[in-house]
């Protein structure tokens, strides 16, 4: 691979400098503007990434437990022991209306988080 041509070095009043043609200087300025634009885009993407990470963390916490940290109240007509409407212990707990109510609360909480995230994202 060929080495890039180095601009000639000169000394002006005891200070070392490089001599550029007008075209080289304009190209250098254009490169600086491009790097500045890319830097700004990277900052915006970094901010968006951090907000998205916060959203995902909030969603993970939400899915892991109820949004208020308290256990969900039993559905109307459900056995207080948590065995659904029949009161029998042979079916899996959390079925029927109880899980529908919990699912609705989870959907609402996720909806609130997504709206907040969109508002922060602009």
């Amino acid at each position: 691979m060929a080495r890039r041509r180095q601009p000639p070095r000169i000394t002006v009043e005891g200070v070392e400098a490089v001599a550029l043609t007008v075209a080289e200087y304009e190209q250098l300025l254009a490169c600086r503007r491009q790097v500045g634009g890319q830097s700004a885009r990277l900052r915006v993407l970094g901010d968006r990434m951090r907000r998205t990470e916060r959203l995902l963390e909030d969603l993970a916490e939400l899915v892991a437990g109820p949004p208020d940290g308290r256990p969900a109240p039993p559905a109307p007509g459900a056995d207080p022991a948590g065995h659904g409407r029949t009161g029998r212990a042979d079916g899996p707990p959390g079925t029927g209306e109880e899980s529908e109510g919990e699912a609705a609360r989870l959907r609402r909480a996720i909806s609130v988080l997504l709206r907040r995230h969109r508002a922060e994202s602009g």
Side-chain angles (χ1 to χ4, degrees):
M1 186 192 258
R3 285 188 76 203
R4 291 185 60 117
R5 183 181 75 82
Q6 298 293 318
R9 294 178 183 276
I10 59 173
T11 303
V12 178
E13 297 179 5
V15 177
E16 188 176 24
V18 293
L20 299 174
T21 66
V22 171
E24 290 171 329
Y25 181 72
E26 288 174 354
Q27 184 180 9
L28 178 64
L29 290 178
C31 287
R32 288 185 66 196
R33 284 190 299 272
Q34 288 175 346
V35 168
Q38 289 175 346
S39 175
R41 284 190 292 276
L42 282 173
R43 275 192 303 277
V44 168
L45 287 173
D47 290 343
R48 181 172 284 170
M49 184 183 72
R50 282 185 287 282
R51 284 192 305 269
T52 302
E53 285 175 346
R54 279 196 309 266
L55 171 68
L56 291 174
E57 289 168 1
D58 289 347
L59 286 172
E61 288 176 18
L62 187 64
V63 170
D68 58 5
R70 294 178 294 171
D79 177 30
H83 299 300
R85 287 185 149 271
T86 63
R88 293 188 349 231
D90 57 352
T95 58
E97 290 179 17
E98 180 180 332
S99 63
E100 289 175 15
E102 188 173 331
R105 282 191 296 278
L106 185 61
R107 281 192 300 273
R108 281 192 303 273
I110 288 172
S111 176
V112 167
L113 282 174
L114 290 174
R115 268 183 272 165
R116 183 175 69 199
H117 177 71
R118 286 185 192 122
E120 288 176 359
S121 298

